[in-house]
Amino acid sequence: MAEPLVLGIESSCDETGVGIVRGRQLLANEVASSVEEHVRFGGVVPEVASRAHLEAMVPALERACATADIDLTELDAIAVTAGPGLMGALVVGLATAKALAYALDKPLYAVNHLAGHVAVDLLEHGPLPTPCVALLVSGGHTSLLRVNSITSGITELGSTIDDAAGEAYDKVARVLGLPYPGGPHIDRAATGDPSYVAFPRGLSARKDLLQHRFDFSFSGLKTAVARWVESRERDGLDVPLADVAASFQEAVCDVLSAKAMDACAATGATDLLIGGGVAANGRLRALLAERAAERGINLRTPRPALCTDNGAMIAVLGAEIVVDGGRPSSLDVGADSSLPVHRILC
Ligand code: KG4
Ligand code: ZN
């Protein structure tokens, strides 16, 4: 089948996403977020997220079909996130997808959320050259991937050994008195001097590179920002938000982009793509563009709305699997909260 009509359902965290694609053409991408319900807790509350998915799922599905101007019976396949993510949240999407697949008698593809963050780029920039490197930066994951095939060949070159990049943004935002989720708030607040404080660049020293060349660590950075802020407050001094936010952001983006460039050099990849919520970050996009241009690397950056969690990324991954002749998932497939990135289809 050349251009299958595929529905994609995403519910791994706090966004209920329903997307519809025809091959690599995006027809609808409806996202309902429960982020407002988590703000007062300073992070995602799994039970609250699960209930919000239950409430948002059917309306999102109806809106997606209306936007794409299709009837569910026309679909060729249904794709859904099987993991990784919050168990209770994943189960809502998976149960919805199974019910649709069973009732409509359509094949089900239970796929990997992380591979979806990579696949979404196909909607905007077409087929991936191989090999290609992907920098995946989200609230739950931070990895460098070598992508030989989006449907069957993703290998992890390295990942964070502690906090994910988005998690560091969220935790530092809290220290700086900014609301959850912290990433977009720090992005906007970071208008000051990025060299105001020389925050540490995790796993970048020569000795660390021997063992952790493509790994990341952000927990020391988070602690360094907290200590710096505490000591200013102890001395009765103001915390210059724009400068501290810019200095923190520079430390994150410097390490992410340096290691991404090194991964391209090591694998011979001439293309680098970025995905996940933090890939929406303005400074990360600018620094990667600058460093990629210096090295003749082609940078593929999906538009910010496709970087954060959505259903279109799952739909397009499903469509690629259908075109490749991948075997549909069983209707009793389970959610896997810690699904590894190389298991693209369950
Ligand atoms: O990929 P995503 O939507 O959900 C997960 O799979 O985790 O990523 C959410 C993360 C959050 O930590 C959020 O603070 C971060 O992405 N984020 C950003 C930006 N927009 C979202 N971080 C930095 N700058 C942004 N503009
Ligand atoms: Zn995600």
Side-chain angles (χ1 to χ4, degrees):
M1 198 180 302
E3 295 205 305
L5 185 65
V6 181
L7 177 84
I9 296 180
E10 154 61 33
S11 70
S12 65
C13 191
D14 57 350
E15 261 98 35
T16 314
V18 180
I20 300 175
V21 301
R22 191 182 297 282
R24 290 176 187 155
Q25 189 197 349
L26 179 61
L27 302 183
N29 190 25
E30 294 294 328
V31 180
S33 177
S34 63
V35 69
E36 303 276 296
E37 294 174 54
H38 307 288
V39 170
R40 69 192 167 104
F41 302 105
V44 176
V45 183
E47 288 76 9
V48 174
S50 307
R51 177 154 299 266
H53 285 306
L54 270 178
E55 287 166 3
M57 189 61 77
V58 173
L61 184 60
E62 287 170 349
R63 283 198 307 277
C65 288
T67 306
D69 194 21
I70 62 127
D71 187 89
L72 287 173
T73 55
E74 295 171 51
L75 291 171
D76 293 307
I78 290 155
V80 61
T81 301
L86 303 169
M87 190 45 116
L90 289 166
V91 163
V92 177
L94 203 55
T96 309
K98 286 180 186 179
L100 288 170
Y102 182 72
L104 298 163
D105 195 20
K106 307 285 182 190
L108 174 75
Y109 295 88
V111 303
N112 191 305
H113 176 84
L114 305 176
H117 273 305
V118 178
V120 78
D121 184 66
L122 299 175
L123 291 171
E124 293 196 308
H125 302 115
L128 290 182
T130 51
C132 158
V133 167
L135 172 65
L136 188 69
V137 273
S138 73
H141 296 86
T142 296
S143 341
L144 273 167
L145 310 171
R146 177 193 167 110
V147 185
N148 282 336
S149 150
I150 187 63
T151 55
S152 60
I154 299 185
T155 24
E156 192 165 70
L157 299 168
S159 65
T160 180
I161 61 165
D162 42 54
D163 293 350
E167 195 179 349
Y169 265 97
D170 296 339
K171 288 176 176 169
V172 164
R174 204 194 296 202
V175 167
L176 296 176
L178 296 170
Y180 174 83
H185 292 282
I186 292 188
D187 199 354
R188 278 192 295 271
T191 51
D193 176 5
S195 56
Y196 190 81
V197 191
F199 285 128
R201 269 66 170 159
L203 299 183
S204 297
R206 192 178 290 248
K207 67 173 180 10
D208 295 326
L209 288 176
L210 289 175
Q211 239 194 37
H212 292 289
R213 184 169 172 191
F214 301 123
D215 292 328
F216 301 97
S217 166
F218 295 108
S219 107
L221 169 61
K222 168 194 71 187
T223 309
V225 178
R227 291 271 144 77
W228 195 91
V229 169
E230 272 162 28
S231 85
R232 288 285 287 207
E233 286 170 345
R234 208 178 314 115
D235 296 341
L237 299 169
D238 279 352
V239 174
L241 176 64
D243 294 322
V244 179
S247 301
F248 159 75
Q249 177 156 278
E250 198 62 17
V252 175
C253 299
D254 182 21
V255 175
L256 289 174
S257 53
K259 294 208 176 202
M261 294 303 138
D262 188 28
C264 290
T267 56
T270 52
D271 286 70
L272 168 69
L273 80 83
I274 58 173
V278 182
N281 184 267
R283 180 59 186 149
L284 180 61
R285 294 166 84 98
L287 194 55
L288 280 170
E290 195 181 302
R291 291 182 174 175
E294 282 164 14
R295 290 164 179 78
I297 291 166
N298 179 36
L299 180 66
R300 298 167 62 118
T301 49
R303 71 181 118 106
L306 292 180
C307 289
T308 46
D309 290 351
N310 63 82
M313 67 192 218
I314 302 305
V316 69
L317 177 56
E320 292 296 307
I321 294 171
V322 171
V323 171
D324 271 10
R327 210 164 56 153
S329 308
S330 152
L331 276 185
D332 57 18
V333 62
D336 183 346
S337 60
S338 51
L339 189 66
V341 66
H342 64 265
R343 278 201 63 206
I344 298 167
L345 175 64
C346 293

